[in-house]
Amino acid sequence: RMPQITANYNQLDWNGFDFTVANDYTRFEAKNPFVQGQPNGERVFSLASLSRPFLTPGTFVTPKVMLNATAYQFDAPLLTNAATSATRVVPTFSLDSGLIFERDANYFGRAFRQTLEPRAFYVYTPFRNQNYLPVYDTAQNDFNFATIYTENAFSGNDRISDSNLLTLGVTTRLIDPETGAGAARFGVAQRLGFADQLVTVPGG
């Protein structure tokens, strides 16, 4: 990265809406660029999202729309299609919802406040062919409890996964009622796919 410049804007609770824009300019350069089969080049990335949280003490529902726009300029033509530039625009819709129940509990002679938090997360991103784009900084996310509730299956900005997924999960936490500190957390989740994911990274 020679260099990387980022700029972000966040507007929370704007008439009930949350609005964010993340921007990234990166120049990718290697001494032998075609060893990895892709040229040196520049990438401009912008991700805008608009969400409307509906919150109560025991429930949350958050619909969100996102627009991902990316542009590339290459020093040499791509091996895939001989292009010296490329663009990609991908929309995403997600709906995150859940319930929060609490009760007083006692385990091993210690008092806790125990929660039960069922959650449902749906995400839809239409397929866009991205096989012609280079992969400078992108990899498949590890499948774990942190990434299962995210919109994109990849880290980095060179691939946006097509998705039609519903994730159902439940978490329980043990909280110290005096300090509010978390003592333990347990959760399970299941992802249901309504269509196969077509966007991949090389070797993925």
Side-chain angles (χ1 to χ4, degrees):
R1 293 178 173 88
M2 305 177 62
Q4 180 179 33
I5 301 171
T6 62
N8 301 308
Y9 175 79
N10 299 288
Q11 179 65 59
L12 304 181
D13 197 16
W14 174 58
N15 296 318
F17 291 85
D18 293 342
F19 177 68
T20 66
V21 179
N23 302 288
D24 182 296
Y25 164 82
T26 307
R27 165 75 184 177
F28 294 96
E29 190 165 323
K31 290 183 179 180
N32 299 300
F34 284 99
V35 170
Q36 295 182 331
Q38 55 193 29
N40 293 334
E42 302 174 359
R43 184 189 67 200
V44 178
F45 164 84
S46 184
L47 175 61
S49 69
L50 180 68
S51 61
R52 175 57 169 96
F54 296 92
L55 307 174
T56 72
T59 65
F60 67 90
V61 177
T62 306
K64 180 194 294 186
V65 292
M66 307 167 65
L67 187 65
N68 182 308
T70 312
Y72 295 84
Q73 188 67 45
F74 308 112
D75 293 359
L78 286 171
L79 296 179
T80 52
N81 59 4
T84 57
S85 64
T87 59
R88 176 195 62 197
V89 177
V90 184
T92 294
F93 168 78
S94 68
L95 180 64
D96 196 4
S97 62
L99 303 171
I100 303 171
F101 302 100
E102 294 184 353
R103 68 165 189 159
D104 293 328
N106 193 293
Y107 297 104
F108 309 106
R110 182 179 173 185
F112 293 100
R113 181 164 293 114
Q114 183 176 14
T115 70
L116 183 67
E117 305 170 40
R119 184 176 179 182
F121 178 77
Y122 175 75
V123 57
Y124 176 74
T125 302
F127 170 74
R128 297 290 188 270
N129 182 17
Q130 300 163 58
N131 291 336
Y132 61 95
L133 297 178
V135 179
Y136 291 125
D137 64 358
T138 296
Q140 183 86 29
N141 284 332
D142 293 333
F143 187 75
N144 56 47
F145 207 73
T147 61
I148 198 170
Y149 293 108
T150 56
E151 285 88 0
N152 191 10
F154 302 107
S155 62
N157 298 323
D158 294 311
R159 292 291 186 274
I160 306 299
S161 60
D162 55 309
S163 302
N164 190 1
L165 301 170
L166 175 64
T167 302
L168 302 174
V170 62
T171 300
T172 182
R173 293 181 294 153
L174 298 179
I175 301 170
D176 188 312
E178 299 293 333
T179 64
R185 178 178 178 177
F186 307 94
V188 294
Q190 176 68 47
R191 174 176 286 175
L192 307 173
F194 301 107
D196 293 337
Q197 179 181 311
L198 301 178
V199 177
T200 61
V201 292

